[in-house]
């Protein structure tokens, strides 16, 4: 940004953080400029993309007023976790999709994904929560679909996507939900154990955290 605004005093505030190896099809940040506003947003967008590294692209700019705060403002996030199972994937898939060698009961996993919808205590689905961590979270939608989001000629013929939508998520929450569903699909967890893991007094421990490389932030919406 210093190359685009060499004389301006500015500050950048990101909408949130993700784990290492997690990608984003849509993310957001807020730019505060102390001096005069940007006169030509279209030109500014083009200059940003000329100076950004090849794995980042600005796709849109919107003006906001002084009351807007990108962290505190109400928003909805949709994450997607891409995975396949059976035969080993082409190595080029590794940055985008988790691969599980062997069978998975995908129908049972699809049924279980719906159990995470609604408001639950997700203490079994985070790592080392702090005393002030809000464990009661609401997931508005959670389902496994056939992957229609990303396609490539080196992807397997069939792959799947866990779609999870909510206002906010804890560290590792979605990766541990995916991990629990994978363990269910392998026969290492039961549906009753998944249900019990969402209770406040649960003793169920989710031991598998799905790799970060399969997770991507798909959509970010502000109300």
């Amino acid at each position: 940004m210093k190359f685009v605004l060499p004389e301006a005093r500015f500050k950048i505030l990101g909408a949130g953080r993700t784990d290492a190896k997690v990608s984003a099809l849509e993310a957001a940040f807020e730019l505060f400029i102390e001096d005069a506003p940007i006169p030509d947003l279209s030109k500014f967008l083009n200059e940003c993309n000329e100076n950004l590294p090849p794995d980042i692209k600005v796709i849109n700019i919107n003006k906001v007023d002084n009351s807007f705060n990108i962290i505190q403002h109400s928003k909805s996030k949709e994450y997607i976790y891409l995975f396949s199972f059976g035969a080993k994937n082409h190595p080029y898939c590794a940055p985008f999709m988790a691969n599980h060698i062997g069978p998975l009961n995908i129908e049972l996993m699809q049924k279980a994904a719906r159990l995470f919808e609604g408001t639950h205590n997700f203490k079994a689905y985070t790592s080392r929560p702090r005393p002030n961590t809000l464990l009661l979270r609401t997931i508005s939608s959670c389902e496994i679909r056939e992957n229609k989001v990303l396609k490539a000629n080196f992807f397997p013929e069939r792959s799947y996507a866990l779609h999870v939508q909510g206002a906010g998520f804890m560290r590792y929450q979605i990766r541990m939900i995916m991990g629990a569903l994978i363990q269910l699909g392998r026969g290492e967890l039961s549906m009753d154990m998944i249900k019990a893991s969402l209770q406040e007094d649960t003793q169920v421990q989710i031991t598998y955290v799905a790799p970060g490389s399969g997770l991507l932030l798909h959509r970010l919406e502000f109300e």
Side-chain angles (χ1 to χ4, degrees), residues 63-76:
K63 288 184 178 181
V64 294
D65 58 35
N66 292 337
S67 65
F68 182 82
N69 184 293
I70 202 165
I71 294 178
Q72 298 174 356
H73 205 80
S74 178
K75 56 184 175 288
S76 175

Side-chain angles (χ1 to χ4, degrees), residues 8 21 47 52 56 59-60 67 80 108 124 171 209 221-222:
K21 298 184 179 181
E47 289 178 347
L52 285 169
I56 302 176
I59 58 175
N60 193 25
S67 65
I80 292 178
L108 185 62
R171 185 172 185 246
V209 182
E221 297 177 348
F222 296 92

Side-chain angles (χ1 to χ4, degrees), residues 29-31 41 45 60-65 68 222:
F29 67 88
E30 190 171 3
L31 175 64
L41 291 181
L45 185 150
N60 193 25
I61 300 176
N62 293 312
K63 288 184 178 181
V64 294
D65 58 35
F68 182 82
F222 296 92

Side-chain angles (χ1 to χ4, degrees), residues 4-5 36 39 47 78 80 100-102 121 123 127 135 153 167-168:
V4 184
L5 301 169
E47 289 178 347
E78 182 187 24
I80 292 178
H100 303 276
I101 307 300
N121 188 303
K123 73 175 184 180
S127 174
L135 299 173
N153 60 7

Side-chain angles (χ1 to χ4, degrees), residues 161-178:
L162 171 70
H163 292 250
V164 186
Q165 188 170 349
F169 301 93
M170 296 180 291
R171 185 172 185 246
Y172 295 162
Q173 184 178 349
I174 296 175
R175 290 170 60 189
M176 292 181 78
I177 289 173
M178 187 73 252

